[in-house]
Amino acid sequence: MSNSERVVLVLGGAGTVGSGVVKALLDKGFKVAVISRERSRLDRLCSFVSPNTKDNLTTIVGNVGSEDGAEQVKQELLKAVKVTDVVSSLGFSWWQGGPPHTQSLKDLQWVIDCLLYSTFVSWKVFFPLVRDDSSCTYTFITGGAGEKLLMPGTGFLTVGAASSLAFCQVLREEYPDVACKLNQVRIDTGVATAERLAPGFLNHLELGEAIAAVVQQRSTSHSVFNINSPADLKTVLLDQHI
């Protein structure tokens, strides 16, 4: 399939990381679908992408964090497009609510819901659309916070991120022979838009180009691409070491 024949569902496509991925995919000629609970975020995404690619962007308001919501939005999505690839960039990049003894069970449940449950539910619903086709891909974007405490007060972020990392490991090992190209990009540094870049951070547009390269190439499966710095972004992904 050429890029123009492929439709990439970008879960979390209205966020900072996801918007960079969406723009890069559209610029490469892919068709892209994005789901968000908020129409306003989808409208901002439409105004962000290149004007000449807007016709290739499908946006749907829906909730992929619940089984019923995800199933409902899948049916709506399939009426509009045939999904060939999935990029999962769900959750959030930062949480600093305080040390565990100051938090409630509800706080922990919210973090796990955002970082694990939504990833699991969306995978369960959308993975069957691509799993049996060797020309299809499913790419998880995860963070490195699950391997260490970033700073005091971020403990629940570590717990949630660790659960997401573990889930991706389980999938690689539980489905060793699946036809679909199943990969993970693990980002252990900050990601920001151009106007908010700080030293060592990744520009979300450059990261988007790298993720788009992984989707486009389809040359590896069950791989983890570790990105710890802007230099890694270039050497691991943009130099086609995929």
Side-chain angles (χ1 to χ4, degrees):
M1 290 184 290
S2 65
N3 290 356
S4 62
E5 296 175 293
R6 298 168 66 182
V7 179
V8 187
L9 170 61
V10 182
L11 301 167
T16 299
V17 173
S19 61
V21 175
V22 170
K23 185 178 187 304
L25 288 166
L26 288 170
D27 289 345
K28 283 181 174 289
F30 289 89
K31 295 180 175 66
V32 178
V34 177
I35 301 164
S36 176
R37 300 179 189 184
E38 301 176 24
R39 168 54 63 185
S40 60
R41 300 190 74 193
L42 295 173
D43 290 341
R44 285 197 298 270
L45 179 65
C46 289
S47 65
F48 170 73
V49 302
S50 303
N52 62 326
T53 66
K54 286 184 180 180
D55 290 344
N56 287 330
L57 176 61
T58 299
T59 59
I60 297 175
V61 176
N63 177 18
V64 299
S66 71
E67 290 180 304
D68 290 343
E71 283 290 350
Q72 181 178 348
V73 78
K74 181 180 78 170
Q75 297 307 316
E76 185 176 353
L77 178 68
L78 293 178
K79 292 177 183 178
V81 296
K82 180 181 179 181
V83 174
T84 61
D85 305 85
V86 181
V87 174
S88 178
S89 179
L90 293 169
F92 53 85
S93 60
W94 191 251
W95 184 94
Q96 194 174 7
H101 79 278
T102 68
Q103 305 303 302
S104 67
L105 178 60
K106 185 177 180 180
D107 294 323
L108 179 59
Q109 288 174 329
W110 181 83
V111 171
I112 297 298
D113 180 65
C114 291
L115 292 177
L116 177 63
Y117 294 164
S118 60
T119 298
F120 163 69
V121 168
S122 58
W123 168 82
K124 187 176 180 181
V125 170
F126 296 111
F127 186 54
L129 300 180
V130 299
R131 64 169 294 169
D132 297 322
D133 191 333
S134 61
S135 65
C136 295
T137 68
Y138 201 114
T139 306
F140 290 96
I141 303 175
T142 61
E147 298 180 345
K148 59 183 177 296
L149 184 70
L150 298 180
M151 62 178 61
T154 63
F156 279 9
L157 172 59
T158 301
V159 172
S163 65
S164 180
L165 291 175
F167 181 64
C168 289
Q169 179 181 350
V170 166
L171 295 184
R172 290 194 304 276
E173 297 183 11
E174 286 272 16
Y175 302 89
D177 302 317
V178 69
C180 172
K181 303 299 188 299
L182 181 65
N183 292 301
Q184 176 187 352
V185 178
R186 176 187 160 279
I187 305 166
D188 194 11
T189 187
V191 180
T193 57
E195 60 272 16
R196 295 187 176 182
L197 278 180
F201 273 47
L202 302 177
N203 185 311
H204 77 138
L205 295 177
E206 295 177 354
L207 176 61
E209 292 175 4
I211 303 299
V214 173
V215 175
Q216 182 175 27
Q217 291 298 317
R218 295 174 293 184
S219 56
T220 62
S221 189
H222 294 71
S223 296
V224 180
F225 302 101
N226 294 301
I227 307 300
N228 301 316
S229 67
D232 287 342
L233 184 63
K234 183 176 188 301
T235 58
V236 175
L237 296 177
L238 296 183
D239 283 349
Q240 306 301 309
H241 294 167
I242 48 180

